[in-house]
Amino acid sequence: MDLRDEEIEALGTQGFFVRTAFLGEEQARAIHAQAQARAASGGLRPAAIRRGADRSEDTAVRGDFITWLSPEPGSALGGLWEAFAALGEALSRAAYLGLGRFDVQLAHYPGGGARYVRHRDAFPGQSNRRLTAIYYANPDWRPAHGGQLRLYREEAPLDVPPTLDTLVVFLSERLEHEVMPTHAPRLALTAWYYGRDVA
Ligand code: OGA
Ligand code: MN
């Protein structure tokens, strides 16, 4: 896994970087197919946390359906897992992030306005999630589908299209972000890396 100098620099100065064509079209399509099949199997659960009997307020905050992946050597999703592992090692070496284990989530936004409002993945000092890496698997994405990842950097916010084979990496404590309302199904695979000090 080769990291580019400008990516390491961007992570330090802006708190994120974006790489398109991360794994190549063939691998990306295979990941899409497997992620799509997993989502269609009905095994995903609403990500919104239930609050009593009424969870409508929560889907207004976060409308995706998720599951957690495990390493599956030999499969397309297993290949992505390996790529996330290599990414974490490369970033630990190049950016001195001291990353340890990671979790991988598959998230499916069904469209119909499903979104995830502005948030951070971790809060400074809690030393839980250090780094977020999101890989998108949407081969036919168009602007009308919505679901851009809005990154609240210091300048004007940046909207990243969730197109096939795009990787976004950011510091979990630092960058606020948001999933804009989706108007078509949207698949994302996210790795959260923890610090080495966390078991
Ligand atoms: C998250 C999240 C962004 C995306 O799951 O915490 O911010 O683009 N996802 O799916
Ligand atoms: Mn997030």
Side-chain angles (χ1 to χ4, degrees), residues 116 119-121 132 134 170 177 192:
Y116 192 164
H119 68 280
R120 247 179 244 172
D121 285 349
T132 304
I134 312 179
F170 58 86
H177 55 283
W192 283 286

Side-chain angles (χ1 to χ4, degrees), residues 65-158:
F65 292 75
I66 64 157
T67 191
W68 298 94
L69 303 184
S70 2
E72 343 172 347
S75 77
L77 289 177
L80 178 62
W81 187 287
E82 294 301 315
F84 278 141
L87 176 69
E89 282 163 23
L91 282 165
S92 288
R93 268 198 308 273
Y96 309 103
L97 286 174
L99 303 176
R101 68 173 189 87
F102 57 92
D103 294 325
V104 181
Q105 173 195 268
L106 166 63
H108 176 247
Y109 289 75
R115 62 190 295 219
Y116 192 164
V117 298
R118 181 172 176 166
H119 68 280
R120 247 179 244 172
D121 285 349
F123 291 93
Q126 291 181 350
S127 81
N128 42 13
R129 289 168 169 176
R130 281 258 181 92
L131 188 92
T132 304
I134 312 179
Y135 180 79
Y136 296 110
N138 305 295
D140 304 313
W141 186 86
R142 295 194 303 274
H145 294 169
Q148 296 88 346
L149 177 69
R150 179 163 289 178
L151 297 174
Y152 291 94
R153 54 183 181 174
E154 274 160 34
E155 316 97 277
L158 176 71

Side-chain angles (χ1 to χ4, degrees), residues 145-180:
H145 294 169
Q148 296 88 346
L149 177 69
R150 179 163 289 178
L151 297 174
Y152 291 94
R153 54 183 181 174
E154 274 160 34
E155 316 97 277
L158 176 71
D159 283 354
V160 180
T163 48
L164 187 75
D165 211 19
T166 296
L167 176 78
V168 180
V169 175
F170 58 86
L171 301 174
S172 309
E173 295 176 339
R174 179 154 151 196
L175 208 69
E176 287 188 80
H177 55 283
E178 169 171 10
V179 178
M180 302 310 286

